[in-house]
Amino acid sequence: MPASGASPAAAHGGGVPRESTLLGMPRNMALASLVIVLTQTGLIVGLLVANRRRKRLAREQGERLRFEQILTEISGDLVEASVETLDNAICHALEKVRVMMEFQSCMLFEHVRDTQVVRILYHTDAAVREAIARREAEIPMPWLCAQFQYRKAIPLAHALQDLPADAREEQDYVRVKNIKSALIIPLHSTDGTTHGVSFCTGVAYREWSDTVISQLHALGDVLSSSVSRHRAEMELRLSEERFSKAFHASPSAMVIFRARDETILDVNESWERQFGYTYAEAAGHLPEELGIYRSEKERLRLGSLVDTVGSLRNHEITLRTRTEREVVAILSLETISIHDEACYIAIFHDVTDQRRVEEMRQSMVHVSRLALVGELTASIAHEINQPLGAILSNAEAAEMLMETENPPLDDIRQILADIRKDDLRASQVIRHIRTLVRRAPLRLLPVQVNEVVLDVLKLLSTDAQRRGIILHGDLAADEPEISADRVHLQQVLINLIVNAMDAMKSNGTTIPIVDVRTWREGPHGVSVSVRDHGHGIPEDRLPQIFESFFTTKVEGMGLGLAMARSIIEAHRGSIAARNLAEGGAMFTFTLPSGNGNGAGTRNATIGRSS
Ligand code: ADP
């Protein structure tokens, strides 16, 4: 019988030492069980973690997919939105994102250029939308505006704490709006505007993962480009509206025609009035079908001009209206694009009346010039008779010398040279008179004012001598040059000098001198004055003196001064008359000058008292 109290191992007999036990199990067994339990626990924990990770990833994946789906929907809505519906579409998009991401608010804003102000354009909050409508949604945010240059998203997990100390205005905004977390993303649009989107939470704080930031950045880009497109469309529409208003209200006739075949696409009311065709009659037709060009040659000439240059500026053209009336127009033409089709817009400025007035003016100038030449017949006759007389006596002298036994050839040669000189002088006078009476339009060429004065003084010298009057020239030494029509200028001077001599005829002056002075008037002008010592102009007549047909002379026409003024004004100059305290009158005209140098005067006296 085994002794009582003996251990079970001892009771086994054999004298082997008994192993220690755990919970009554053999040690090895206990350890193995522990390892198994621990491994199982580890496996279970691992499984749980993996499961949770999988779930989180699945959730994130789901959120990402949902966001991408929303973004696709938003992009589609915005692309389809018209100018009128785009505002609503953007608000709708922001609201969709707000609900999905559980934000307190979302907004799209722009940085007001060159300021520290942010202007809210769209907001999910109705009260802010009202402020936007009242144009009261501008908030000073200097710190934020300064951050735009870095073009980086600004994630604020704890908005108030994360904002730096100097962002006072931004902190105030966060406090007033009770914002917990905020994400602000600056967006640089293609039109150079800085837009931005911001998303805020108001209940809980949240971290902004890179994924969320890039998702919301993509949303911001879509919204910003829609706003830019919207603006561009609005501007285009506005400019189209403005263009259309200007086109239809313009007092100048305008026509738009297709560049490739010249088909008329549109005409304005002035064009209808001027050319006598209605829009319905003109649109869809070619100008030549309406008989607007005077000839095919003219059409081709204009066509090739437009084809080479692509535009025209102030091109004078004569066109025909429906009633075959000829219209002189100044044409300007520009290329424009209408619905991607190259077109021309042509603007006609009707100058028919001006041209007619100009023609009348020229006829009057001509008439008055003829009258002047008539007045100067005596001088002209003298000018021509003198060389003719000299030629005759020289020819007689030569004949006599030829009859001598040994004709002095040197003397005869000298006589022949004199004859040639006198002949040239006579033909020069005739040429001068011919230019003076020729009817010619104003031709502006560089002219030395002094030369013109000297020419006129020479022409009038005989007349002056006959009247016992001295013509005195006091001419600018730097020989000012102007752009003028020499013959017209001569006419003005002849008029003024003849009038001056007339005024001295009656009053028996003791100073029978007409002074003609030229001088530079500032950097851009040249002045000429004609001063006499005559009876002067009655003060009450001074205002009328340049009016046509005003004359106090029995045989006067009253055209000289009117013509003088119109010639001077056609040169963009001015003319004035005044009485002098010491007696006599002075007429002064000023013309725009060309280039010149130096200053001073030189004297020339032509004519002498008889
Ligand atoms: P007309 O010489 O044919 O009369 P003008 O137009 O040349 O025409 O001159 C108009 C009028 O102006 C003259 O009739 C004269 O009364 C006045 N007038 C012009 N020049 C002078 C002058 N130098 N002194 C006084 N009166 C002048």
Side-chain angles (χ1 to χ4, degrees):
M1 285 256 312
S4 65
S7 69
H12 248 267
V16 181
R18 287 200 327 204
E19 286 180 15
S20 59
T21 61
L22 204 60
L23 300 172
M25 272 187 276
R27 178 182 291 256
N28 286 345
M29 213 172 169
L31 275 175
S33 306
L34 187 62
V35 168
I36 289 166
V37 169
L38 284 176
T39 310
Q40 274 177 345
T41 315
L43 278 171
I44 289 164
V45 169
L47 271 173
L48 281 174
V49 169
N51 204 21
R52 271 184 56 193
R53 217 171 132 243
R54 209 183 59 242
K55 275 191 183 156
R56 187 167 56 81
L57 283 174
R59 200 187 64 235
E60 277 179 15
Q61 179 78 357
E63 273 175 5
R64 198 177 302 155
L65 282 175
R66 213 141 52 90
F67 190 86
E68 269 162 24
Q69 193 186 342
I70 281 193
L71 191 58
T72 315
E73 279 170 25
I74 289 174
S75 305
D77 288 351
L78 293 179
V79 167
E80 275 173 24
S82 66
V83 172
E84 286 76 19
T85 59
L86 193 79
D87 279 355
N88 266 340
I90 293 179
C91 286
H92 194 66
L94 286 175
E95 183 60 17
K96 242 184 197 174
V97 174
R98 188 190 75 78
V99 172
M100 185 202 143
M101 310 278 275
E102 294 171 13
F103 293 140
Q104 180 194 38
S105 67
C106 308
M107 72 164 153
L108 176 69
F109 59 85
E110 70 177 347
H111 174 209
V112 182
R113 203 178 290 226
D114 302 327
T115 68
Q116 298 183 324
V117 171
V118 151
R119 180 186 296 135
I120 304 175
L121 302 174
Y122 299 94
H123 203 284
T124 46
D125 191 350
V128 183
R129 283 203 297 275
E130 278 169 25
I132 295 172
R134 292 195 306 273
R135 295 174 183 274
E136 288 170 5
E138 291 189 357
I139 315 162
M141 289 203 174
W143 176 81
L144 186 62
C145 291
Q147 304 310 303
F148 289 152
Q149 60 182 306
Y150 306 118
R151 299 177 170 230
K152 274 174 68 183
I154 306 165
L156 305 168
H158 196 303
L160 212 49
Q161 279 175 18
D162 292 353
L163 279 169
D166 58 335
R168 269 185 303 274
E169 279 85 349
E170 289 77 3
Q171 283 175 3
D172 288 347
Y173 185 81
V174 164
R175 235 177 259 119
V176 170
K177 297 285 175 186
N178 200 16
I179 293 169
K180 296 279 186 285
S181 304
L183 171 68
I184 305 146
I185 306 171
L187 309 158
H188 294 269
S189 69
T190 42
D191 62 6
T193 329
T194 303
H195 286 141
V197 273
S198 89
F199 308 91
C200 304
T201 66
V203 180
Y205 293 98
R206 73 171 284 175
E207 297 292 330
W208 302 100
S209 69
D210 288 347
T211 314
V212 168
I213 292 177
S214 72
Q215 282 173 339
L216 293 174
H217 202 307
L219 169 80
D221 281 338
V222 169
L223 297 178
S224 164
S225 65
S226 299
V227 170
S228 300
R229 178 174 64 87
H230 182 245
R231 283 224 175 123
E233 276 179 27
M234 285 296 280
E235 267 162 30
L236 185 68
R237 189 179 277 194
L238 257 179
S239 79
E240 274 174 2
E241 240 172 64
R242 263 186 244 130
F243 171 77
S244 164
K245 273 189 188 150
F247 180 78
H248 289 288
S250 168
S252 299
M254 289 194 194
V255 54
I256 297 175
F257 55 92
R258 212 157 38 204
R260 77 182 135 90
D261 59 3
E262 294 185 13
T263 303
I264 296 176
L265 300 180
D266 201 357
V267 295
N268 71 352
E269 288 75 353
S270 303
W271 189 93
E272 290 179 319
R273 267 196 305 280
Q274 192 162 328
F275 288 91
Y277 296 97
T278 63
Y279 163 79
E281 290 165 330
H285 291 277
L286 301 175
E288 59 263 38
E289 287 171 352
L290 304 179
I292 283 177
Y293 296 113
R294 282 195 305 183
S295 66
E296 178 63 6
K297 210 169 116 198
E298 244 177 77
R299 185 188 78 79
L300 290 173
R301 201 170 58 90
L302 187 69
S304 72
L305 207 66
V306 172
D307 285 348
T308 24
V309 195
S311 68
L312 284 180
R313 283 274 170 283
N314 302 329
H315 176 83
E316 188 162 323
I317 183 168
T318 306
L319 298 168
R320 258 209 304 253
T321 68
R322 182 179 207 151
T323 55
E324 311 244 316
R325 186 173 64 88
E326 293 203 336
V327 176
V328 186
I330 301 292
L331 165 68
S332 293
L333 186 139
E334 219 25 274
T335 314
I336 54 169
S337 164
I338 298 178
H339 304 309
D340 292 334
E341 169 98 58
C343 295
Y344 291 125
I345 177 164
I347 305 168
F348 304 91
H349 179 55
D350 186 353
V351 290
T352 318
D353 289 344
Q354 274 113 299
R355 291 291 174 271
R356 209 165 284 147
V357 169
E358 173 67 15
E359 242 170 58
M360 273 165 62
R361 193 189 73 81
Q362 274 179 21
S363 326
M364 282 172 83
V365 168
H366 187 60
V367 168
S368 85
R369 221 184 278 156
L370 288 180
L372 255 183
V373 172
E375 272 181 46
L376 298 174
T377 326
S379 317
I380 294 164
H382 177 85
E383 281 286 304
I384 296 172
N385 275 340
Q386 222 183 23
L388 286 182
I391 288 170
L392 186 64
S393 27
N394 272 330
E396 283 168 0
E399 265 173 9
M400 277 165 59
L401 289 174
M402 290 292 284
E403 275 161 24
T404 56
E405 218 168 284
N406 286 318
L409 286 182
D410 281 348
D411 289 350
I412 295 172
R413 212 170 278 124
Q414 180 57 47
I415 288 173
L416 285 174
D418 284 351
I419 290 177
R420 171 191 287 267
K421 207 174 76 202
D422 287 330
D423 182 279
L424 282 175
R425 196 173 140 208
S427 61
Q428 211 175 15
V429 174
I430 291 166
R431 217 176 24 249
H432 200 137
I433 303 300
R434 276 180 59 188
T435 18
L436 207 58
V437 296
R438 204 172 45 215
R439 197 160 176 274
L442 204 71
R443 273 181 58 223
L444 300 183
L445 292 169
V447 166
Q448 294 272 341
V449 181
N450 291 356
E451 261 178 32
V452 179
V453 172
L454 287 171
D455 277 354
V456 170
L457 292 182
K458 212 164 170 187
L459 184 76
L460 296 178
S461 61
T462 320
D463 197 20
Q465 279 174 26
R466 200 169 40 80
R467 300 181 191 223
I469 290 172
I470 294 172
L471 300 181
H472 178 247
D474 189 3
L475 309 180
D478 59 346
E479 320 233 306
E481 195 177 84
I482 56 168
S483 179
D485 185 307
R486 176 184 287 269
V487 175
H488 283 75
L489 211 55
Q490 281 173 348
Q491 185 188 353
V492 173
L493 274 166
I494 293 174
N495 257 310
L496 299 181
I497 298 171
V498 170
N499 277 346
M501 293 197 291
D502 285 350
M504 292 197 295
K505 189 163 62 183
S506 47
N507 78 334
T509 173
T510 50
I511 322 166
I513 300 174
V514 175
D515 275 304
V516 183
R517 254 190 85 209
T518 64
W519 70 96
R520 215 171 261 286
E521 187 73 64
H524 307 297
V526 176
S527 287
V528 181
S529 70
V530 176
R531 181 235 163 116
D532 61 58
H533 297 268
H535 52 64
I537 308 154
E539 286 296 324
D540 58 331
R541 295 288 174 86
L542 260 175
Q544 294 148 273
I545 201 143
F546 290 102
E547 282 171 17
S548 304
F549 307 111
F550 171 78
T551 181
T552 54
K553 299 174 194 168
V554 185
E555 289 181 0
M557 286 176 65
L559 284 177
L561 288 180
M563 283 306 116
R565 182 170 67 176
S566 92
I567 290 172
I568 295 299
E569 284 176 355
H571 283 80
R572 297 176 190 281
S574 59
I575 184 165
R578 67 186 172 100
N579 286 315
L580 300 169
E582 58 275 27
M586 183 154 96
F587 286 76
T588 309
F589 63 84
T590 305
L591 297 170
S593 71
N595 294 324
N597 43 35
T601 57
R602 86 180 145 82
N603 293 326
T605 302
I606 289 165
R608 59 185 156 74
S609 46
S610 54

